[in-house]
């Protein structure tokens, strides 16, 4: 018996929960493209408008597939690509034509750029009152850093994320995944869906001001909450959790594992499972607060006990007993794990392989539908659908407005 809700079978394709939503995507690099990929995974039509030189992450390799870097491939599936020179008035006229009937515009130009071109939100909002316009930028247009460029690692440094990452004494350390860019993409998606929902009531679109700085700040939990309460500067703790113990990594006879005890019943059950019942009555470990204060003593005891175990087998037994634990896997091990396959978390379309959507909808499942596009792969198709004749398309190509090959 199971209380799990029904899930669609692997490979099931539906129009998606966002079918009928049209998104014009003027974003590059990661935060914006990650947002529009999420929308496209769930049925939104996403038209990616690349600059004449192309999205720069097409070159962020190796590795490459048919000349396109994995960095681009990982966040641009399900989209159609057209390359336009928006620095020219004729290019901006094409953009305006593509925005007719569009629901969402996502862009990550430096604040002021689109305003300089006469296509900022105030202008676009007048012409397209139902348009949801989401701008992703480093710091926004206001404040001491307004209008300045921002990058994931720089923002990790500036918001304090690096200061809480790493081992004690290691110094601030960049997180291995571009967490600020990814979080900004996720928050942007949430904002867009909120605005679309509100539009159902008001009939009006709105502007969404998303910044790497704001989203990076929003990730500072529980360190910011701790600081607001105790006034102390949070420090890097390495693997141990700053507020919970035991909650850390330990070595076993076969691999490293991570264990977590988030409440007192779990702590007592954990001790009994490992045959360490006497720790429950030890005053050093009576409460979570005591265990955090005496973390060093507790970790020494647990390290000696866990070193005798087969880590994979132990974690399996612990999980089945209701105790949170897991082996520390490398990326290649994680993507090939049986549970990853069972949850359909790796998508394959020909030679293209990528992580699939984690959002599991029972009636309208989403996911990888089409491999990432080549540069301007759908340029003529997109323009034809917008009502351009073959002669008009050829004129745009001759004038360099429709760009057929990346400019160096």
């Amino acid at each position: 018996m199971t209380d799990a809700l029904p899930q669609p079978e692997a490979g099931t394709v539906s129009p998606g929960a966002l079918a009928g939503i049209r998104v014009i995507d003027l974003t590059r690099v990661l935060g914006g493209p990650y947002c529009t990929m999420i929308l496209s995974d769930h049925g939104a039509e996403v038209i990616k408008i690349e600059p004449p030189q192309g999205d720069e992450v097409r070159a962020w390799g190796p590795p490459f597939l048919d000349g396109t870097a994995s960095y681009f491939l990982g966040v641009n599936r399900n989209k159609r690509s057209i390359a336009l020179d928006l620095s020219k008035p004729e290019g901006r006229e094409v953009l305006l034509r593509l925005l007719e009937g569009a629901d969402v515009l996502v862009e990550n130009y430096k604040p002021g750029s689109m305003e300089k071109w006469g296509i900022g939100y105030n202008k676009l909002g007048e012409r397209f009152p139902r348009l949801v316009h989401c701008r992703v930028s480093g710091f926004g247009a206001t404040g001491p850093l307004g209008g300045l460029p921002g990058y994931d690692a720089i923002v990790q440094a500036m918001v304090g994320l690096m200061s809480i990452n790493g081992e004690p004494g290691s110094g601030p350390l960049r997180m291995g995944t571009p967490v600020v860019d990814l979080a900004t993409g996720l928050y942007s998606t949430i904002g867009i869906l909120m605005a679309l929902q509100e539009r159902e009531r008001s009939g009006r679109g709105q502007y969404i001001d998303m910044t790497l700085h704001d989203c990076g700040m929003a990730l500072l939990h529980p360190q910011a909450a701790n600081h607001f309460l105790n006034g102390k500067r949070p420090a890097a703790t390495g693997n141990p959790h700053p507020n919970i113990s035991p909650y850390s990594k330990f070595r076993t006879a076969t691999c490293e594992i991570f264990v977590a005890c988030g409440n007192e019943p779990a702590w007592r059950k954990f001790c009994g499972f490992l045959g360490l019942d006497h720790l429950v009555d030890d005053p050093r470990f009576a409460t979570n607060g005591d265990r955090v204060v005496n973390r060093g003593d507790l970790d020494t005891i647990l390290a000696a006990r866990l070193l005798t175990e087969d880590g994979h087998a132990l974690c399996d037994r612990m999980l089945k007993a209701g105790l949170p634990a897991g082996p520390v896997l490398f990326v290649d091990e994680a993507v090939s794990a049986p549970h990853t396959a069972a949850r359909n978390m790796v998508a394959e379309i020909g030679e293209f392989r990528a992580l699939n959507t984690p959002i599991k909808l029972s009636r309208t499942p989403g996911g990888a539908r089409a491999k990432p596009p080549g540069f301007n792969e759908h340029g003529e198709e997109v323009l034809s659908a917008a009502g351009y004749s073959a002669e008009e398309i050829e004129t745009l190509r001759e004038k360099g407005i429709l760009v057929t090959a990346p400019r160096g």
Side-chain angles (χ1 to χ4, degrees), residues 154-360:
I154 306 303
V155 175
Q156 281 195 36
M158 294 180 69
V159 302
L161 285 169
M162 283 177 57
S163 75
I164 58 173
N165 192 39
E167 297 289 339
S170 70
L173 190 66
R174 181 184 72 85
M175 295 184 178
T177 187
V179 63
V180 173
D181 275 339
L182 296 174
T184 303
L186 290 167
Y187 280 122
S188 297
T189 303
I190 294 169
I192 289 168
L193 296 178
M194 287 178 177
L196 290 173
Q197 172 66 22
E198 193 279 337
R199 192 181 69 173
E200 291 297 305
R201 299 192 298 272
S202 68
R204 300 170 56 197
Q206 58 183 300
Y207 177 71
I208 306 172
D209 182 13
M210 301 300 305
T211 78
L212 300 183
H213 185 271
D214 294 350
C215 293
M217 291 294 300
L219 297 178
L220 286 172
H221 186 80
Q223 286 80 7
N226 292 344
H227 169 70
F228 290 144
L229 192 59
N230 64 22
K232 296 180 181 179
R233 174 179 290 177
T237 60
N239 287 302
H241 194 289
N243 295 63
I244 309 171
S245 180
Y247 196 109
S248 190
K249 183 185 74 168
F250 295 92
R251 183 170 295 281
T252 70
T254 57
C255 66
E256 292 183 308
I257 68 170
F258 207 100
V259 300
C261 290
N263 55 54
E264 296 308 313
W267 161 245
R268 293 190 292 272
K269 187 174 183 179
F270 175 73
C271 290
F273 184 89
L274 294 177
L276 299 173
D277 304 81
H278 63 283
L279 296 182
V280 173
D281 299 319
D282 191 316
R284 294 175 297 172
F285 314 131
T287 67
N288 178 69
D290 295 322
R291 294 192 292 276
V292 170
V293 171
N294 297 294
R295 187 196 309 274
D297 292 344
L298 179 57
D299 285 355
T300 298
I301 296 169
L302 294 180
R305 171 65 183 84
L306 295 171
L307 193 58
T308 65
E309 295 279 353
D310 177 327
H312 293 281
L314 175 65
C315 289
D316 187 58
R317 297 200 314 272
M318 289 181 68
L319 285 171
K320 290 176 179 176
L323 291 168
V328 178
L329 302 180
F330 293 98
V331 172
D332 59 308
E333 295 174 314
V335 298
S336 60
H339 194 74
T340 302
R343 296 292 297 177
N344 192 29
M345 278 307 299
V346 175
E348 297 188 30
I349 302 176
E351 292 183 272
F352 169 68
R353 298 179 71 225
L355 295 178
N356 215 339
T357 179
I359 303 170
K360 303 295 196 293

Side-chain angles (χ1 to χ4, degrees), residues 60-143:
W60 284 14
F64 294 96
L65 176 62
D66 298 329
T68 300
S70 57
Y71 213 102
F72 179 90
L73 298 174
V75 292
N76 282 288
R77 63 171 175 254
N78 303 333
K79 305 175 186 179
R80 292 190 291 166
S81 170
I82 177 173
L84 296 174
D85 189 345
L86 297 182
S87 68
K88 298 178 180 179
E90 299 96 327
R92 298 195 287 275
E93 283 301 316
V94 175
L95 170 63
L96 291 172
R97 195 154 162 181
L98 294 177
L99 284 171
E100 295 175 3
D103 298 282
V104 180
L105 170 66
V106 189
E107 47 98 354
N108 62 353
Y109 281 101
K110 181 180 176 182
S113 296
M114 293 191 67
E115 287 75 10
K116 179 181 67 177
W117 289 339
I119 51 174
Y121 175 69
N122 289 336
K123 294 287 186 181
L124 292 178
E126 291 176 3
R127 182 163 175 174
F128 308 109
R130 288 177 56 82
L131 182 68
V132 172
H133 182 158
C134 177
R135 171 171 291 163
V136 177
S137 67
F139 300 99
T142 59

